[in-house]
Amino acid sequence: MVKFGVVYVFTLLSCSISDGDPCQVTNHVTLNGQWRSINNIINPSETANCDSTMSDTWYRVESHILGEIATAPPSEYSCGTRYPIWMGDVFPGPGQTRTVQVCFSTNFNTCESPWTIDVKNCETFYVYQLTRPSKCPSAYCFKSDTDNDDTLLAEIIPSVVVAVIIIIIVAVCILKHKLSSSRVFTVSNERGPGRTSEIIVTRIVDNQQPGNLQPGNQHPGNQHPGNQQPGNRGERGPPPPGYLDGLTR
């Protein structure tokens, strides 16, 4: 009975270790994937990397904040290899595991010889149950942090440009309104032909017509010399007939 209990406990421990959460640091292998970056493009004359020694286990790649595998076909000779491997699928949700499709990217076929791997979302990073590729030189390709920066800039720049344009349009409209609602009117009283005009009113009027000017609601048109008689300005008219003849006698 005791022997049976020991065997049962040992079996449980073995299962818990083999079926452990791959998100735990003891249950996955961490790869330094800087050379796996999609931005790492090599020359055909350079030595290309290959994942021929990769075993069928869980891996975490540190080339990216979340360790995201490439989700678009990289060009040949990207990711430090000749035939980069990318994922033509979507990532699982937080805490979930998903079987996804991966394939080689070549100049003739962007998804050659597809197969499946498992991916788990560990909330702050991803882990992958990678398998050895069927041909070399090929390697799993991952995103880099600069990919996120470029995406963020691409989203922010158009919004900033639109905001600046809106601000400029609003400022121009406000300025035009100010200029159209503020006018300078000058009312003059001319004393007669050949005489200097006297400025009576010079002021800035907001949203008012010239006829509303003070004093006396006078309109500039009413000040025309032809509309006024000398007597209206306190001036004497011409002498009566024969007046000058009487003075010369």
Side-chain angles (χ1 to χ4, degrees):
M1 187 70 179
V2 174
K3 183 177 179 180
F4 175 79
V6 172
V7 172
Y8 179 76
V9 172
F10 179 79
T11 303
L12 288 178
L13 291 174
S14 299
C15 291
S16 62
I17 294 173
S18 60
D19 298 333
D21 184 2
C23 294
Q24 299 296 324
V25 66
T26 55
N27 293 329
H28 64 254
V29 178
T30 300
L31 299 177
N32 182 4
Q34 295 300 323
W35 62 266
R36 297 179 182 274
S37 169
I38 195 172
N39 296 326
N40 181 25
I41 301 176
I42 62 174
N43 294 322
S45 59
E46 295 182 55
T47 301
N49 294 286
C50 187
D51 284 334
S52 58
T53 59
M54 185 168 286
S55 59
D56 186 7
T57 188
W58 288 94
Y59 292 90
R60 176 186 177 184
V61 180
E62 293 184 334
S63 64
H64 185 272
I65 294 176
L66 296 176
E68 292 184 0
I69 193 171
T71 54
S75 60
E76 195 169 298
Y77 291 103
S78 297
C79 314
T81 188
R82 179 172 183 179
Y83 306 116
I85 303 170
W86 64 286
M87 182 182 75
D89 216 319
V90 296
F91 288 97
Q96 297 180 351
T97 301
R98 181 185 180 92
T99 300
V100 299
Q101 177 180 284
V102 295
C103 47
F104 302 106
S105 178
T106 69
N107 287 338
F108 305 101
N109 189 349
T110 57
C111 190
E112 181 182 306
S113 306
W115 70 99
T116 59
I117 62 170
D118 290 335
V119 181
K120 182 169 184 180
N121 185 335
C122 299
E123 298 188 0
T124 57
F125 60 92
Y126 292 97
V127 290
Y128 307 84
Q129 193 169 22
L130 303 179
T131 58
R132 184 182 306 160
S134 60
K135 68 176 182 179
C136 275
S138 63
Y140 292 92
C141 183
F142 287 80
K143 298 179 182 180
S144 64
D145 293 337
T146 56
D147 297 333
N148 275 0
D149 296 338
D150 294 341
T151 302
L152 184 62
L153 287 175
E155 294 176 354
I156 290 178
I157 289 177
S159 301
V160 173
V161 171
V162 171
V164 171
I165 292 175
I166 292 175
I167 292 173
I168 293 174
I169 293 175
V170 171
V172 170
C173 291
I174 293 175
L175 182 59
K176 290 179 67 177
H177 177 72
K178 290 289 186 182
L179 293 176
S180 62
S181 62
S182 298
R183 300 177 181 176
V184 176
F185 298 102
T186 301
V187 180
S188 62
N189 183 19
E190 298 187 6
R191 295 185 178 279
R195 297 186 179 184
T196 304
S197 299
E198 178 184 357
I199 304 301
I200 295 178
V201 180
T202 302
R203 58 186 298 186
I204 297 178
V205 181
D206 292 335
N207 297 325
Q208 294 188 13
Q209 298 300 323
N212 295 329
L213 293 175
Q214 300 297 327
N217 292 330
Q218 296 180 1
H219 191 280
N222 296 331
Q223 303 301 323
H224 193 276
N227 297 331
Q228 297 184 2
Q229 298 298 326
N232 294 337
R233 296 196 301 268
E235 297 182 2
R236 294 181 179 179
Y243 177 78
L244 295 178
D245 294 338
L247 293 178
T248 57
R249 291 178 181 178

